[in-house]
Amino acid sequence: MGFSTTLIVNGVPRTIDLDDPRVTLLDLLRERLQLTGTKKGCDRGQCGACTVILDGRRVNSCLALAISHDGANVLTIEGVAQGNRLHPVQEAFLAHDGLQCGFCTPGQIMSAIGLIQEGQAGDDPERVREGMSGNLCRCAAYQGITQAVLAAQTTLRAVSRKEVA
Ligand code: FES
Ligand code: FES
């Protein structure tokens, strides 16, 4: 029996036929939509490499069944830049050396965007580290990652103040 699911991926509606209801959101993104920026690390919810924003919340896409989220909005790393303009979080990761090999970076960036949107980060590096603790980095670029999240948060706050003014 065939199944299908429709997701709004980076603002574009995509209907995907599935021959197995157990297909994860991660496999759907990578293998069916060729959005390979979302990485598969552990495939069991322990590393955060597969983080995407699903209906406004950070999730490990390796643990989400695609068919359970019919109609949902999914934001992946491919959808965060605006044309040639990087997202402030991407810029901050570059400016603060928040990466080395880069494997964990898409997940770190998506998680940072989610954390900032949640308003949970605060200005305390310890809280940022805690908020990002679901995202592992084998290169141990944690200091740069924390600095990048703090800097991006300051930039995004200034942007939203300008928009309100
Ligand atoms: S691949 Fe999903 S948490 Fe590791
Ligand atoms: S930059 Fe290499 S795993 Fe994080």
Side-chain angles (χ1 to χ4, degrees):
M1 182 176 157
F3 305 86
S4 79
T5 187
T6 299
L7 298 165
I8 320 295
V9 182
N10 299 329
V12 180
R14 309 289 300 258
T15 298
I16 306 104
D17 293 327
L18 304 171
D19 49 17
D20 185 335
R22 295 167 299 178
V23 172
T24 63
L25 179 56
L26 174 61
D27 285 342
L28 180 142
L29 292 170
R30 289 182 57 83
E31 290 168 20
R32 303 295 304 280
L33 300 181
Q34 281 70 55
L35 293 172
T36 53
T38 305
K39 300 302 180 203
K40 184 183 279 196
C42 64
D43 208 19
R44 56 176 64 183
Q46 292 175 351
C47 73
C50 64
T51 306
V52 298
I53 311 264
L54 180 63
D55 282 340
R57 295 178 61 87
R58 299 181 277 171
V59 300
N60 289 330
S61 59
C62 68
L63 295 184
L65 288 181
I67 206 161
S68 304
H69 298 283
D70 195 42
N73 267 289
V74 184
L75 179 67
T76 73
I77 191 69
E78 289 88 352
V80 300
Q82 307 233 313
N84 289 332
R85 215 174 76 228
L86 293 180
H87 188 283
V89 173
Q90 293 175 304
E91 282 178 344
F93 268 70
L94 288 173
H96 293 271
D97 288 332
L99 66 150
Q100 287 182 34
C101 78
F103 182 80
C104 72
T105 311
Q108 301 279 1
I109 288 172
M110 298 315 294
S111 194
I113 291 172
L115 181 69
I116 293 169
Q117 280 174 359
E118 290 157 21
Q120 299 288 333
D123 294 322
D124 177 1
E126 198 48 51
R127 277 181 62 193
V128 170
R129 271 193 285 276
E130 194 182 320
M132 296 289 294
S133 61
N135 291 79
L136 305 184
C137 175
R138 288 193 179 85
C139 303
Y142 293 112
Q143 196 175 344
I145 291 168
T146 302
Q147 290 309 313
V149 176
L150 288 165
Q153 182 173 244
T154 304
T155 305
L156 287 165
R157 273 191 200 140
V159 169
S160 69
R161 268 199 299 273
K162 254 195 216 155
E163 283 172 358
V164 170

